């Protein structure tokens, strides 16, 4: 995959991110990519960038809900669903921190990912309160969904 430099190349890369295509290669290209933030295109570029981040967060949430609902209480399936969610959130967090994004925007985007993960984790912990065995709560706490380091 080519390292993006132009707006068109970045736009194609953002489309690939939204479609979940070649995540490892796409993330590497984004981390190595450059973009000259000219006033004319910087705002549009940032809109595309944040749209890709939000789309991936929405997809991660939808996939997790589907996988969690289908787990039917199976510990293995629950662990797999949480693990997949965590992997997706880490990807989006790394994407939010790519070097070519201005620092203020980088922090804003990283906060979007972190806040989304915390909200999801909190919601899961609330749901786990109805689990009398306490196992679901332990799985969620151990997964540390909202920690990306």
């Amino acid at each position: 995959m080519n390292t993006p430099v132009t707006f068109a190349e970045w736009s194609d890369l953002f489309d690939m991110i939204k479609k979940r295509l070649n995540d490892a290669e796409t993330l590497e290209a984004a981390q190595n990519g450059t973009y000259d933030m000219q006033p004319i295109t910087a705002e549009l570029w940032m809109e595309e960038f944040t749209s890709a981040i939000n789309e991936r967060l929405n997809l991660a949430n939808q996939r997790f809900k589907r996988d969690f609902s289908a787990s039917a209480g199976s510990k293995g399936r629950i662990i797999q669903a949480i693990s997949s969610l965590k992997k997706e959130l880490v990807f989006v967090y790394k994407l939010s921190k790519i070097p070519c994004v201005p620092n203020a925007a980088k922090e804003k985007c990283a906060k979007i990912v972190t806040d989304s993960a915390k909200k999801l984790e909190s919601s899961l912990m609330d749901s786990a309160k109805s689990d009398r065995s306490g196992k679901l709560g332990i799985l969620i706490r151990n997964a540390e969904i909202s920690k990306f380091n």
Side-chain angles (χ1 to χ4, degrees):
M1 170 172 286
N2 293 334
T3 303
V5 177
T6 66
F7 184 86
E9 291 168 340
W10 276 105
S11 186
D12 290 344
L13 184 127
F14 294 147
D15 286 343
M16 291 181 71
I17 289 167
K18 289 177 184 179
K19 294 176 184 173
R20 301 184 80 238
L21 299 174
N22 304 320
D23 280 351
E25 290 177 30
T26 305
L27 181 60
E28 184 179 347
Q31 289 172 331
N32 294 324
T34 58
Y35 189 69
D36 185 15
M37 295 286 179
Q38 295 294 318
I40 296 170
T41 59
E43 186 175 331
L44 187 55
W45 190 94
M46 284 303 302
E47 285 176 15
E48 291 277 330
F49 178 64
T50 55
S51 174
I53 288 174
N54 286 322
E55 177 69 20
R56 285 302 288 262
L57 287 174
N58 290 335
L59 287 172
N61 193 14
Q62 290 170 2
R63 290 173 60 90
F64 176 74
K65 284 179 181 178
R66 182 198 65 208
D67 293 348
F68 190 78
S69 294
S71 71
S74 165
K75 182 180 176 182
R77 286 181 155 186
I78 291 170
I79 290 171
Q80 185 177 8
I82 292 171
S83 177
S84 293
L85 173 64
K86 174 78 178 204
K87 181 180 176 184
E88 187 75 10
L89 291 171
V90 167
F91 169 82
V92 179
Y93 184 77
K94 287 179 180 178
L95 178 65
S96 74
K97 300 289 235 168
I98 59 174
C100 69
V101 177
N103 286 335
K106 193 180 300 186
E107 292 307 314
K108 180 182 174 186
C109 290
K111 185 173 176 10
I112 290 170
V113 178
T114 303
D115 289 350
S116 179
K118 286 179 182 177
K119 182 178 176 183
L120 188 56
E121 188 173 51
S122 175
S123 176
L124 286 171
M125 288 304 294
D126 287 344
S127 297
K129 290 177 184 174
S130 66
D131 175 29
R132 293 183 185 192
S133 71
K135 292 178 183 178
L136 181 57
I138 291 169
L139 290 174
I140 294 165
R141 273 191 299 278
N142 288 342
E144 298 182 319
I145 294 168
S146 62
K147 294 186 180 175
F148 305 118
N149 298 334

